[in-house]
Amino acid sequence: MPSEILITEDQIRARVAELAVEIRADHGHGTPIHFVAVLKGAFMFLADLMRQMKGDVTCDFIALSSYGASTKSSGEVRLLKDLDRGLEGRDVVIIEDIVDTGLTLAYLQEILRAREPHLLRTACLLSKPSRRKVDVSVDYVGFTIEDRFVVGYGLDVDERYRHLPDIRVVKGVS
Ligand code: IMP
């Protein structure tokens, strides 16, 4: 079990509440907001963020190929599970766990933009800017972190540790 805690439960709770207020304020109080969460890593972030949101909010899920058992991005992204509903004319916010190279998010933004939402914004719990390979826009970032491999709060290494309520560093993985 990784023991080095990078971000505590309390820090996550406080930041998620701030993000909910910021997202609602940016879209206006009467506007329905549609969250598109990226499986599996974003499930916990989505659940907590949704519970903090005021007003009309809906969600849908999409799954993209991940690194599998490896921790390195292959640079190739595939769509594994598509959304249940269309996005045309809606205010959409992508909910992602972490932006690393940015390749996954760049691909996702491109395919969702083609579905003609009214607005397409992105919220990521974590960002590792030093690892970026493509310039991708992220409107809401929970925490900016160094180049360290982290798990917990939905994030895994080889499907483990998603259940941890805080974010921890895994040693020996980069
Ligand atoms: P990107 O395409 O390189 O930006 O990779 C994004 C995806 O890689 C994320 O959605 C995560 O699934 C995974 N990932 C990147 N860094 C980490 C990490 O530190 N811990 C766990 N998963 C990570």
Side-chain angles (χ1 to χ4, degrees):
M1 181 77 71
S3 59
E4 189 192 333
I5 297 177
L6 187 66
I7 307 174
T8 66
E9 264 186 274
D10 282 352
Q11 288 173 309
I12 296 170
R13 194 179 306 113
R15 187 69 187 118
V16 169
E18 285 174 1
L19 289 174
V21 170
E22 200 181 330
I23 292 169
R24 174 45 78 199
D26 285 355
H27 289 80
H29 287 271
T31 309
I33 299 174
H34 189 56
F35 284 161
V36 168
V38 186
L39 292 171
K40 301 173 200 167
F43 79 95
M44 220 176 266
F45 179 35
L46 173 81
D48 285 345
L49 187 63
M50 279 197 95
R51 280 180 285 189
Q52 295 292 331
M53 289 294 296
K54 301 268 186 282
D56 193 352
V57 187
T58 51
C59 70
D60 202 345
F61 295 91
I62 197 163
L64 304 165
S65 57
S66 69
Y67 305 171
S70 155
T71 57
K72 294 273 189 302
S73 176
S74 60
E76 256 178 55
V77 186
R78 276 182 313 123
L79 185 60
L80 300 179
K81 180 222 171 284
D82 206 344
L83 299 171
D84 293 339
R85 302 268 180 97
L87 301 179
E88 201 178 332
R90 307 174 88 169
D91 277 26
V92 174
V93 182
I94 296 171
I95 307 295
E96 177 61 300
D97 55 356
I98 186 164
V99 203
D100 187 31
T101 63
L103 291 164
T104 309
L105 189 57
Y107 169 83
L108 184 60
Q109 288 179 346
E110 187 187 321
I111 62 166
L112 297 189
R113 222 174 264 124
R115 300 176 190 193
E116 303 184 341
H118 169 242
L119 273 177
L120 182 65
R121 292 186 170 134
T122 302
C124 289
L125 182 69
L126 303 170
S127 174
K128 291 191 222 174
S130 65
R131 300 247 319 157
R132 221 55 110 246
K133 285 189 181 156
V134 287
D135 188 23
V136 66
S137 81
V138 184
D139 305 275
Y140 309 99
V141 175
F143 303 90
T144 298
I145 63 170
E146 306 284 307
D147 181 9
R148 329 235 352 229
F149 199 84
V150 291
V151 293
Y153 199 71
L155 289 122
D156 74 309
V157 58
D158 202 10
E159 294 300 326
R160 300 181 72 201
Y161 310 127
R162 291 193 198 274
H163 65 290
L164 297 174
D166 41 32
I167 291 169
R168 303 185 188 200
V169 176
V170 182
K171 297 240 166 65
V173 182
S174 64

